């Protein structure tokens, strides 16, 4: 059968898993939400915003921040791994983005690195070329606020074969829990 205009089309939900990897469509959304929830659980006071349409003009982030009075933002999402456009490697640990369209707040970035080093958590740094995170929606909605972008490396982003290293996913969760404890200690 052929798809017609207006038909809903989605990847078939195949879940493949072994000792080291998980492969399924939709990981890019699921991983960021899961890690964000783990950060929220580690904090005594915070707001978690889950957005939509990042790839279509950051509408979700822009709309969400219209009602929030953000002092700073921790953007959590996936990033390209083992891709010619990225220095991030699958199995290399959680990734901290130094710069996408915007530069990460230096103080916040240094805090991430310090937490990772103190807790002996494997991490990697990246610079993204022309792409951007949901921070672009925040800027478009309310303007500049300090931010950092915490990333979970995945292979084959936006395909039916999105693949995450279980070690990277577990490292990202371990990291945000440690970050939450550090933030709450302040």
């Amino acid at each position: 059968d052929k798809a017609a205009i207006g038909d809903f089309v989605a990847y078939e939900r195949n879940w493949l898993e072994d000792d080291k990897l998980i492969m399924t469509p939709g990981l890019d959304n699921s991983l960021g939400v899961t890690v964000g929830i783990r950060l929220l659980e580690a904090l005594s006071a915070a707001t978690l915003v889950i957005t939509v349409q990042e790839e279509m003009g950051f509408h979700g982030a822009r709309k969400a921040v219209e009602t929030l009075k953000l002092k700073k933002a921790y953007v959590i999402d996936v990033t390209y791994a083992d891709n010619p456009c990225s220095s991030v490697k699958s199995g290399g640990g959680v990734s901290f983005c130094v710069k996408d369209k915007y530069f990460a707040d230096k103080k916040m970035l240094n805090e991430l690195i310090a937490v990772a080093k103190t807790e002996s958590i494997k991490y990697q740094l990246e610079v993204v070329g022309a792409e951007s995170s949901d921070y672009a929606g925040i800027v478009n909605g309310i303007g500049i606020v300090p931010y950092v972008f915490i990333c979970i490396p995945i292979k084959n982003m936006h395909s039916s074969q999105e693949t995450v290293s279980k070690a990277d996913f577990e490292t990202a969760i371990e990291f945000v829990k440690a970050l939450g404890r550090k933030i709450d200690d302040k």
Side-chain angles (χ1 to χ4, degrees):
D1 289 331
K2 290 185 177 182
I5 294 173
D7 287 350
F8 178 77
V9 178
Y11 292 121
E12 185 176 340
R13 282 299 223 185
N14 293 324
W15 181 278
L16 301 171
E17 181 175 353
D18 64 22
D19 292 345
K20 295 181 179 181
L21 302 171
I22 298 171
M23 182 174 70
T24 190
L27 276 177
D28 57 320
N29 297 323
S30 303
L31 296 174
V33 168
T34 301
V35 173
I37 289 169
R38 294 299 181 257
L39 177 58
L40 183 64
E41 290 172 345
L43 295 168
S44 59
T47 300
L48 175 65
V49 177
I50 299 170
T51 63
V52 297
Q53 296 184 328
E54 173 193 346
E55 290 86 1
M56 301 171 69
F58 308 101
H59 300 295
R62 194 168 54 238
K63 189 66 177 166
V65 298
E66 288 175 3
T67 59
L68 300 174
K69 299 202 183 322
L70 292 180
K71 294 181 179 126
K72 61 183 171 181
Y74 294 89
V75 175
I76 302 172
D77 204 346
V78 295
T79 192
Y80 292 96
D82 303 335
N83 186 299
C85 72
S86 173
S87 62
V88 173
K89 301 296 179 203
S90 181
V94 64
S95 174
F96 308 140
C97 187
V98 176
K99 181 198 174 294
D100 54 5
K101 183 176 179 182
Y102 303 92
F103 282 96
D105 180 83
K106 188 174 181 178
K107 182 178 176 184
M108 291 176 73
L109 180 62
N110 287 337
E111 178 182 49
L112 300 187
I113 294 168
V115 168
K117 286 182 177 180
T118 300
E119 299 290 328
S120 300
I121 295 172
K122 196 172 180 182
Y123 73 94
Q124 48 196 323
L125 300 175
E126 76 172 308
V127 172
V128 178
E131 301 289 323
S132 189
S133 67
D134 268 327
Y135 183 67
I138 294 169
V139 170
N140 290 337
I142 61 170
I144 301 289
V145 296
Y147 97 107
V148 288
F149 184 11
I150 302 167
C151 312
I152 305 105
I154 67 169
K155 295 187 215 180
N156 308 314
M157 192 182 316
H158 301 142
S159 78
S160 63
Q161 297 178 348
E162 290 182 323
T163 305
V164 66
S165 155
K166 285 182 176 179
D168 287 342
F169 181 45
E170 290 164 3
T171 298
I173 290 172
E174 178 186 358
F175 173 75
V176 297
K177 286 180 177 180
L179 177 63
R181 289 189 300 272
K182 171 78 171 160
I183 292 169
D184 264 357
D185 286 346
K186 287 184 176 180

